[in-house]
Structures are given as structure tokens and as C-alpha cells.
């Protein structure tokens, strides 16, 4: 991916003293829906913070993460990622901001099935020169992250489609963590892991985020994990208006 002058400006003006994420009066409605899925008065995540986000299935957690990552756009309100108001960015600028600053562990992983585990992690650095530069030696760093996630040389050379679901989930995490992202977004990242792998995964995730100074926004149905986070947000409690009524009725 090439970086245009406009996107380069959007990425390079970032400073770490700004909140990583700042939302005000944020509303979002899916096409054809009759009510807002999200209606949030305010939300802020500071650099390096680790935040657990909880809420019942269907309450809008993944939708909120997609908004933060600039995958979908709000109906109204302000949403700033590292000081950049996403609604005033072009689609290309949003894509580049995400590539440069956000590591997203998707609920469905979104790996390229025919590429190796290692190549999937290196894709992050193909899409972002900033992340490639911060990784210093991307191939070595990718191998190290995969090894810390419990995937050795034999597994990382395999196609993603030939890995177990839990192994794919850990590849998706390594892909999100490479290149010191300012924000790591993890959407149910432990759903396919047994207890031992989940505990090891949580340690590595928190450790790599701390080493990199990455803020972490972590979504899980596993409420036992909330105790490991200094801050916990309850999405239904953040909601107001019809979005809140819909949740209460569910
Ligand atoms: N692409 C879409 N188009 C229309 N509606 C959608 C879409 N994706 C999600 N929704 C709706 O938005 C609401 C919130 O969905 P979302 O996936 O954000 O919930 P969630 O809290 O992440 O749930 P889960 O815990 O099951 O992953 C649901 O009512 C869902 O049906
Ligand atoms: Mg979800």
C-alpha cells in the first residue's frame, strides 16, 4: 500500500500525550435499523491504558470497535483517534491511521487462509511503513511474537487455513501486536483457547502492550478476565436514549 501525502500528514502529527481515543455524543445506526445501535455520551482511553469492555451478546461491542478502528462511520458525534477526528478523514486516511496505529484482533480473525502464519503477521508491516520501522527487523520480530504466543518454526510456516482455531487466534494477536501500535483492540481474543492457553495468552498480550506502550481495549464474555484489568467498562451502562432502551428490553 502506498502512503499519500495526505495520509502521511495524518499519521505523522500524532503525539502520545493525546488521548488514544476520545468520543463525545457518539451515535451509530446500522442501515435499515429503526434505532441507534450505539448512543454514547463520552468515552476516553489514555495512552498505555488497559480497559476491559463488557456487555451481553448483541449489545454493540464489536460495532463500537469497528467505529473506533474507522471501519464504519458514526451517524453523529465526535470520535478522535490520537487527536484525528475520524469523521473529517477520508476513507483512505482512516485506513492508513488504522494501519499505522491500531492492532485489531478481529472476532473472526480475518487471516489470509493461503498465506503462512508468518506472512499473515508480516502483512501489518506491508500496510504500514511506520509499523515496519518500529518493528526494526519485522521478520525476526514476527517470529519472536509468534514464538511467545506458543507457535514454533513448524507451525509458523504453515498456511493459516491449516492451523487450529486457537492457533489462528494467536496468529491474529501477533499480527495486531507487531510494530508498536498505539492501540490494540481485542474482540473476544481468547474465545477459542483452553484455560492454560488463555492464561498464557493474557500474560503475553499484557506484557507486549506494556513493552510497546500500547493501550488495550479488550472485549470478552469471560467476566473472570475483568479482574485482571485496572479499568472495566460496561457498554449497556454507557448507552443512553433508544440504544439503552433496546438493551434493557433484550
Ligand atoms: N453488519 C451489520 N448490519 C446490520 N446490523 C448489524 C451488523 N452487525 C451487527 N449488527 C447488529 O448490531 C447489534 C450489535 O451487534 P454487535 O456485533 O456489535 O454485538 P456484540 O456486542 O459484539 O455481540 P457479540 O458479543 O455476540 O459479539 C446487533 O443487534 C446486531 O444484530
Ligand atoms: Mg462481537
Amino acid at each position: 500500500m502506498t502512503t499519500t501525502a495526505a495520509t502521511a500528514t495524518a499519521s505523522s502529527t500524532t503525539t502520545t500525550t493525546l488521548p488514544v481515543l476520545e468520543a463525545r455524543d457518539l451515535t451509530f445506526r446500522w442501515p435499515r435499523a429503526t434505532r441507534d445501535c450505539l448512543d454514547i455520551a463520552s468515552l476516553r482511553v489514555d495512552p498505555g491504558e488497559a480497559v476491559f469492555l463488557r456487555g451481553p451478546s448483541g449489545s454493540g461491542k464489536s460495532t463500537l470497535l469497528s467505529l473506533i478502528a474507522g471501519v464504519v462511520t458514526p451517524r453523529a458525534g465526535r470520535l478522535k483517534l490520537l487527536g484525528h477526528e475520524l469523521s473529517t478523514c477520508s476513507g483512505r486516511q482512516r485506513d492508513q491511521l488504522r494501519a499505522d496505529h491500531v492492532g485489531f484482533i478481529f472476532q473472526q480473525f480475518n487471516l489470509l487462509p493461503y498465506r503462512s502464519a508468518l506472512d499473515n503477521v508480516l502483512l501489518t508491516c506491508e500496510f504500514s511503513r511506520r509499523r515496519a520501522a518500529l518493528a526494526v527487523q519485522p521478520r525476526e520480530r514476527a517470529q519472536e511474537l509468534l514464538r511467545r504466543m506458543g507457535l514454533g518454526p513448524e507451525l509458523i510456516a504453515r498456511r493459516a487455513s491449516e492451523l487450529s482455531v486457537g492457533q489462528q487466534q494467536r496468529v491474529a494477536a501477533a499480527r495486531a501486536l507487531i510494530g508498536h501500535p498505539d492501540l490494540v483492540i481485542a474482540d473476544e481474543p481468547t474465545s477459542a483457547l483452553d484455560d492454560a492457553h488463555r492464561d498464557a495468552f493474557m500474560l503475553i498480550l499484557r506484557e507486549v502492550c506494556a513493552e510497546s506502550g500500547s493501550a488495550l481495549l479488550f472485549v470478552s464474555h469471560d467476566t473472570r478476565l475483568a479482574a485482571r484489568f485496572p479499568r472495566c467498562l460496561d457498554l449497556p451502562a454507557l448507552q443512553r436514549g433508544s440504544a439503552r432502551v433496546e438493551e434493557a428490553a433484550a
Side-chain angles (χ1 to χ4, degrees), residues 174-235:
R175 183 184 57 181
L177 291 169
I178 196 167
H180 299 242
D182 294 280
L183 174 64
V184 173
I185 294 176
D187 197 354
E188 299 279 0
T190 59
S191 58
L193 305 181
D194 59 66
D195 288 357
H197 278 102
R198 184 202 59 211
D199 288 345
F201 176 93
M202 289 305 298
L203 280 176
I204 304 300
L205 180 68
R206 295 294 301 278
E207 202 173 273
V208 176
C209 285
E211 286 165 11
S212 302
S214 309
L216 172 63
L217 186 54
F218 184 99
V219 166
S220 179
H221 286 291
D222 189 347
T223 46
R224 289 170 300 175
L225 297 178
R228 304 179 190 207
F229 284 76
R231 188 171 159 216
C232 183
L233 289 173
D234 185 46
L235 182 55

Side-chain angles (χ1 to χ4, degrees), residues 153-187:
E154 196 261 324
L155 286 176
I156 73 174
R158 273 202 219 160
R159 288 177 175 185
S161 59
E162 293 166 0
L163 295 173
S164 78
V165 175
Q167 288 164 346
Q168 290 180 44
Q169 196 153 41
R170 285 176 280 147
V171 173
R175 183 184 57 181
L177 291 169
I178 196 167
H180 299 242
D182 294 280
L183 174 64
V184 173
I185 294 176
D187 197 354

Side-chain angles (χ1 to χ4, degrees), residues 1 94-103 124 127-128 131:
M1 183 187 281
R94 282 199 301 271
D95 288 346
Q96 198 61 48
L97 267 175
R98 179 171 62 250
D100 285 344
H101 300 287
V102 180
T124 298
F127 287 127
S128 169
R131 301 275 290 271

